[in-house]
Amino acid sequence: VVKFRRTGESSRSEEDGISGEHEVQIEGVRTELEPVELGDGAAVPKEFANPTDDTFMVEDAVEAIGFGKFQWKLSVITGLAWMADAMEMMILSILAPQLHCEWRLPSWQVALLTSVVFVGMMSSSTLWGNISDQYGRKTGLKISVLWTLYYGILSGFAPIYSWILVLRGLVGFGIGGVPQSVTLYAEFLPMKARAKCILLIEVFWALGTVFEVLLAVVVMPTLGWRWLLILSALPLLLFAGLCFWLPESARYDVLSGNQEKALATLKRIATENGAPMPLGKLVISRQEDRGKMRDLFTPHFRWTTLLLWFIWFSNAFSYYGLVLLTTELFQAGDVCSISSRRQEVKAKCSLTCEYLTEEDYTDLLWTTLSEFPGVLVTLWIIDRIGRKKTMALSFLVFSFCSLLLFLCVGRNVLTVLLFIARAFISGGFQAAYVYTPEVYPTATRALGLGTCSGMARVGALITPFIAQVMLESSVYLTLVVYSGCCLLAALASCFLPIETKGRGLQESSHKEWGQEMVGRGSHSPGESQE
């Protein structure tokens, strides 16, 4: 038995430790012990370090180091991956009318070209998640980015429709791994900065969509759609080059038993931020069993899960539907022009088409720019009125703007309505991205977000057949579908049983919702928490 006297400790009750002495039973004799630096500079053997006060977890270190230079760099690099994702999505609305005309494709084949990307994304998201869990976040992200880059460039050389269909599907397969960048990003963010930073990452999504339209304005009239596909892979190329700087998630390293590497990563962040490291030994947090599908349907979370699935479905269905509808409406001028044009065209040919004009690109740019005010509005209201009301408001405004499109408004009013609708539906998407990780406990957080993301892809998969195929039959029915879906989603947002505004992330499903782990790692099991 070795007696070990602690110094500089906080006031304790006499029962906790009389005269500050603790007894530690050591089996066997070890001559060399690894020292750990304490506050007063004294070296204390690691085996003697009391786990109640001289240990810390990755979460504690991230909170102690705070937000600084390292996180700003990480924001830019993660943003590049998000920007590339947005460009690959935005290109669909520009490529569709071009190939419709150039290759004389019927509308269902044009819609299929968009849907196949989402089929790829939906089929690969679980695979990329498993790769990231088994081999590391950084590894999974690098492979998915290089995959997307390769097939993105290759799709620019597609000779026929079937080839571009397969290649765009493979691009979608790679894009399914891009959300891993947000997982890596979130694991290095302190709690207070998390919601704002995840929202600000959406600025890069908006930058990607704007950059894609600007690129199309320059490239399409001169070099054509093939060069647009190739040049749209530029942010991915830049991200692939910067990947060497990205650290592996310290949380992943600890879970996989590589604590030295995790500690080195945390020290690197502390050095870059100019902040001190927590004192003591890095330990693994108590892990619950990994979340299973049935955990999402416990009585406490059943309604939340079902309502969130519908909210995510509606978000993607409406957002991508609006992106595709925008080019269709601009080509016609307004809703009434689509109706009258259809009557004229019916007698001629079902493959009649129009290329996007310079004016179409200009107006497309204006509606795309709406994502910036969308981010700012969401950022301003999300902590004031709460997550649920923010999502409900976004859906209601989108639904109202969709109904106003029934009027035979001029092109300028059409642009304004599309601008407002897109700003709010993108804001609703961002609010869902903030709310979903907050509402689920740690064990089921990744699973909850993953299933919600899967439902969003189902919505995105269906929407081309509404925005491009149904539009040819009835423009009014198309608008009613989008408006009705968002009205129901607004109701679903109001009926969510939990509001997460001002709550910490829930660590355990066994605790009451919103109760933070107080004094984590600072109390022994027998001690009471303050």
Side-chain angles (χ1 to χ4, degrees):
V1 175
V2 178
K3 286 195 174 182
F4 168 85
R5 181 180 292 277
R6 301 177 51 80
T7 58
E9 59 185 349
S10 57
S11 60
R12 292 168 167 266
S13 62
E14 290 183 1
E15 292 80 22
D16 276 338
I18 298 166
S19 73
E21 289 184 347
H22 298 266
E23 293 188 351
V24 181
Q25 187 72 39
I26 301 176
E27 294 181 9
V29 179
R30 290 190 60 181
T31 54
E32 291 184 10
L33 297 170
E34 188 179 345
V36 173
E37 196 72 10
L38 292 183
D40 56 3
V44 178
K46 190 187 278 187
E47 284 80 357
F48 295 172
N50 189 328
T52 58
D53 281 319
D54 297 323
T55 61
F56 66 91
M57 291 176 273
V58 173
E59 300 96 298
D60 303 321
V62 170
E63 292 296 326
I65 293 166
F67 191 91
K69 192 177 173 184
F70 172 85
Q71 279 83 2
W72 280 116
K73 286 182 187 174
L74 193 62
S75 298
V76 173
I77 293 174
T78 308
L80 275 173
W82 219 232
M83 187 177 171
D85 193 357
M87 287 177 72
E88 293 295 342
M89 292 296 101
M90 191 65 202
I91 205 171
L92 299 172
S93 63
I94 297 164
L95 193 63
Q98 188 72 21
L99 290 182
H100 179 50
C101 292
E102 199 169 307
W103 287 355
R104 294 290 167 183
L105 301 176
S107 57
W108 70 269
Q109 284 191 328
V110 175
L112 191 60
L113 193 59
T114 303
S115 292
V116 76
V117 177
F118 293 107
V119 170
M121 287 169 71
M122 198 164 60
S123 60
S124 70
S125 53
T126 308
L127 173 70
W128 293 121
N130 289 337
I131 289 172
S132 297
D133 284 343
Q134 196 165 350
Y135 301 104
R137 314 280 193 256
K138 183 179 176 179
T139 307
L141 188 57
K142 275 198 296 189
I143 295 169
S144 72
V145 164
L146 290 171
W147 177 289
T148 310
L149 176 66
Y150 177 72
Y151 287 108
I153 292 172
L154 209 59
S155 59
F157 298 95
I160 52 173
Y161 175 76
S162 55
W163 267 103
I164 199 164
L165 198 66
V166 171
L167 291 169
R168 294 314 289 174
L170 289 168
V171 166
F173 191 91
I175 291 173
V178 172
Q180 294 301 327
S181 63
V182 178
T183 306
L184 180 65
Y185 181 56
E187 288 180 349
F188 284 116
L189 292 174
M191 189 187 293
K192 285 181 182 176
R194 197 175 290 137
K196 284 187 173 66
C197 288
I198 290 172
L199 277 177
L200 288 172
I201 275 293
E202 298 296 323
V203 171
F204 284 94
W205 177 279
L207 276 172
T209 56
V210 170
F211 184 64
E212 186 61 44
V213 176
L214 289 172
L215 195 63
V217 170
V218 177
V219 173
M220 289 293 275
T222 52
L223 299 172
W225 63 268
R226 294 181 187 278
W227 273 101
L228 183 66
L229 285 173
I230 294 165
L231 293 173
S232 294
L234 281 175
L236 283 170
L237 191 63
L238 192 56
F239 179 84
L242 291 171
C243 256
F244 72 92
W245 181 87
L246 273 179
E248 182 51 86
S249 165
R251 201 176 301 242
Y252 167 79
D253 282 334
V254 166
L255 288 175
S256 56
N258 201 344
Q259 280 157 298
E260 290 79 11
K261 191 180 172 188
L263 196 60
T265 301
L266 291 169
K267 282 178 179 175
R268 170 189 161 185
I269 300 168
T271 305
E272 282 199 43
N273 286 5
M277 273 284 287
L279 307 174
K281 174 186 171 186
L282 179 64
V283 294
I284 186 169
S285 58
R286 184 182 68 81
Q287 292 296 306
E288 291 188 344
D289 292 336
R290 194 174 174 181
K292 296 180 178 65
M293 199 68 177
R294 66 170 179 268
D295 296 333
L296 300 178
F297 292 95
T298 57
H300 196 61
F301 289 110
R302 189 182 299 133
W303 271 110
T304 300
T305 299
L306 291 172
L307 290 170
L308 274 177
W309 280 6
F310 181 67
I311 287 165
W312 277 74
F313 172 90
S314 303
N315 251 323
F317 180 74
S318 307
Y319 176 83
Y320 291 113
L322 186 70
V323 169
L324 296 171
L325 268 177
T326 301
T327 51
E328 299 285 341
L329 291 170
F330 281 155
Q331 281 183 315
D334 59 33
V335 170
C336 301
S337 301
I338 290 181
S339 300
S340 58
R341 186 184 66 177
R342 191 185 313 107
Q343 288 165 4
E344 293 168 15
V345 166
K346 260 183 185 175
K348 297 177 187 174
C349 176
S350 62
L351 297 178
T352 302
C353 66
E354 293 175 19
Y355 288 96
L356 290 172
T357 64
E358 194 175 326
E359 189 184 9
D360 293 334
Y361 282 121
T362 306
D363 289 339
L364 189 60
L365 181 62
W366 277 112
T367 55
T368 306
L369 284 167
S370 67
E371 301 215 5
F372 290 104
V375 171
L376 295 174
V377 169
T378 308
L379 198 59
W380 189 72
I381 66 173
I382 199 163
D383 283 324
R384 285 173 170 79
I385 68 172
R387 277 66 162 147
K388 286 163 57 176
K389 288 179 183 174
T390 301
M391 288 188 283
L393 179 68
S394 300
F395 284 124
L396 281 172
V397 173
F398 178 88
S399 186
F400 182 64
C401 289
S402 300
L403 291 175
L404 286 178
L405 291 175
F406 272 73
L407 306 172
C408 292
V409 294
R411 191 173 178 111
N412 291 340
V413 179
L414 175 71
T415 306
V416 169
L417 287 175
L418 290 172
F419 184 96
I420 296 167
R422 184 153 171 181
F424 276 89
I425 198 65
S426 64
F429 226 143
Q430 292 149 23
Y433 257 110
V434 173
Y435 178 86
T436 308
E438 288 179 339
V439 80
Y440 287 112
T442 300
T444 53
R445 189 170 296 132
L447 184 65
L449 190 60
T451 55
C452 285
S453 183
M455 289 307 293
R457 281 158 191 168
V458 172
L461 181 73
I462 296 167
T463 205
F465 293 96
I466 307 297
Q468 292 173 326
V469 180
M470 186 189 279
L471 190 74
E472 290 196 349
S473 304
S474 172
V475 65
Y476 296 110
L477 182 60
T478 303
L479 293 174
V480 164
V481 168
Y482 285 115
S483 185
C485 183
C486 282
L487 276 175
L488 290 172
L491 280 173
S493 303
C494 295
F495 283 119
L496 281 167
I498 302 162
E499 173 56 76
T500 63
K501 185 184 80 165
R503 310 277 184 103
L505 289 182
Q506 190 187 4
E507 291 292 339
S508 169
S509 56
H510 302 303
K511 287 190 162 281
E512 283 299 310
W513 202 95
Q515 181 183 349
E516 294 182 36
M517 298 291 283
V518 182
R520 186 179 51 202
S522 301
H523 297 79
S524 61
E527 290 177 24
S528 62
Q529 293 183 1
E530 293 178 7

